Amino acid sequence: MLDNLTERLSGVIKTLRGQARLSESNIQDALREVRLALLEADVALPVVKDFIQEVREQALGQAVLSSLTPGQAFIGVVHQSLTKLMGEQGAGLNLATQPPAVILMAGLQGSGKTTSSGKLAKLLKEQLKKKVLLVSCDVYRPAAIEQLHVLAQSLGVDWFPSEAGQVPESIAAAALDHARRHFYDVLIVDTAGRLAIDEEMMREIQQLHRTLNPVETLFVVDAMQGQDAVNTARAFGEALPLTGVILTKLDGDARGGAALSVRHVTGKPVKFIGVGEKLTGLEPFHPERMASRILGMGDVLSLIEEAHRTVDRAEAEKLAHKIKKGQGFDLEDFKAQIAQMKKAGGLGAMMDKLPSQLTRGLQSNPSVDDRSLARIEGIINSMTPAERRNPELLKASRKRRIAAGAGVQVQEVNRLLSQFEQMQKMMKMLSRGGLGKMMRGMKGLMPGLQ
Amino acid sequence: MFGFFKKSPVSKAAAPEVSAGWMARLRSGLRSSRQKLQQGLGGLFGGRLDDAWFETLEEALISADVGSKASAALIAELKQEARHQHIDKPEDLKPLLKKALVHLLAPLECPLASNEHRPHIILFVGVNGAGKTTTIGKLAQHLMQQGHSVLLAAGDTFRAAAVAQLAAWGQRNNVPVITQEKGDSAAVIFDAIQAARARGIDVVLADTAGRLPTQLHLMEEIRKVKRVVTKADATAPHEILLVLDANTGQNALAQVRAFDDALGLTGLIVTKLDGTARGGVVAAIAGERPIPIRFIGVGEALEDLHPFNASEFVDALIE
């Protein structure tokens, strides 16, 4: 997700490695690179300047003297400052009020307010067991109200009807009244997208805020937003007492600048990040992890969590047991592994979370997509159980049959088999405890990653 | 690089029919970006021409989303020109900056031609929330004012109520909208093309669901939509337009690259230029993928869609 920035910084850090110590002159280049990288990632200029200043001061201070190597010290300082900039701790929603707790959504057009409203409703309903009411005050965009209605229906969340002819303020008042009477825990109010310079519309949302007196006023920001994120965030922050930020569309590529700037400008925590248009895609924001990721340390924590959630424990233990006992790793196991990989969000999602030094060579390869996993699965499915257990059986005519069955060329079957052989070797190494050796050999061994 | 300034700037003839109204809107929309540039440039025009001056100029450009690479290229041009013409006062450099920007953007000036084929099929693609559906509504109106008959294809079958949104635009403009209860976008658009042919319609505007270029399966799906359109009409799609939100930063470049690689774009539409967003990223795009900008969106009203004019755009940005 933030590959470019990660890569750039990885490069910078490398040039610092091997230096005897940090000085004004030798961090100058590194700082310039950091600055350019941040700008390229759409972090707003004033934010970048503050950040660079902070890193410079920190890097030349005491922390450096007491550390192991200058490179490590520099990474540490950049990481710390980055984490700090993004708001140190992941903040949750504050719903501590007399119900209904009102959540007001605000933001530019197309930033993802309605989708986020739906996602938030789902999260509150399923994870916090709240009784949620959704209402749309977007009387301007055609079918905006209908969009929220459809979302509410598919979520099984209650929806307060409104119509395009109504005044937003009276919709809000009526919804609030309804929520009170029917003992809802939370009322989520979706609003029309508006430009910060549109005074009339900004007055309207201020009026809405007064009517609703929301406990949370969330500013929805598109993660792809450019330098202007600073201005819109400031304008919304001045017009409304924001309590937090939702950063959407973070599943896009190479971005994150907005994440850095918005927090810095509004001073409000990023409470959630939106990933994907599926209604499950609202995740808590972890500044610490985001900082690690930007620095090329990889979001390994998320990966581990994800793995815990999706990887079948029993399956994994069975395989581990088998390997320990020295039994062969066969194509059946290979297939099971691929299935697990798919469950964990596919290769792309996993690669995203690995440190960029590891994945740089791999990621540029277009064959690293989930389709290649599906093909491999298809090929293995076209084999008989005996063939899967004992791949040595596979000679030319069997390979032709398998290729025909899977709808691929014979070469692809061959490629799979050689990958599998390497994988087998790796497993043998693993069983002999050669983990380090295995990691070194990793690059060529993942399926589809040649 | 060097002969660059000697080329004649741009078609001056393009402007006359443009009403003062929309220019005012564009200007007011771009006001903030201009203010931004001028804040950066404020102390600039005055003072001495030195490296620090150029660095501040570079920062100003970057703040307008021009991007570090395109900014660096512009600065390099300006530096060389300053040396060559012995310019030592920053204010003398301003027309050169304008000229350089206009030169960069002029090739993108290329209005939509919609009368070669009948029906003329235009496919709209873009990321989520870029403004595809709204743009289609505006463009339908624009084309009808020019006397074309228009048909809309509700190809966004994914997002909740996207079909209803397009239908509402259709109703407003009194334009037929082809929808399907269930089905994928390719099927809906195929249907729409058949319907347009049967009814003798001039232009088909086909909406599609928003997609991020990182979602490979959705990029594959849009390729399929294109293939199916070609099946319905061997010469189609006649236009594939990427709708870009002007608020987008450097990711706009990645979007253009990804959609162009996947589909072969014929044009861009830049929306939401009435906000505090700047057109800067357009310069970055012009440097890397000079795809014509067919229209810019400068407001929420139906008539707020305008052909792109490089010199006016630059004027509004750094007057």
Side-chain angles (χ1 to χ4, degrees), chain A residues 175-195:
Chain A
L176 185 60
D177 188 53
H178 181 84
R180 261 195 209 119
R181 278 168 204 271
H182 295 82
F183 307 106
Y184 283 94
D185 298 317
V186 182
L187 170 66
I188 300 177
V189 183
D190 185 22
T191 64
R194 65 201 71 224
L195 296 166

Side-chain angles (χ1 to χ4, degrees), chain A residues 109 226 228 249 251 253 277, chain B residues 128 214 247 251 272 276 300:
Chain A
Q109 288 95 340
D228 199 46
K249 303 183 212 170
D251 47 337
D253 50 352
E277 212 170 326
Chain B
N128 316 66
T214 44
N247 285 297
N251 189 247
K272 307 183 202 175
T276 42
E300 300 210 298

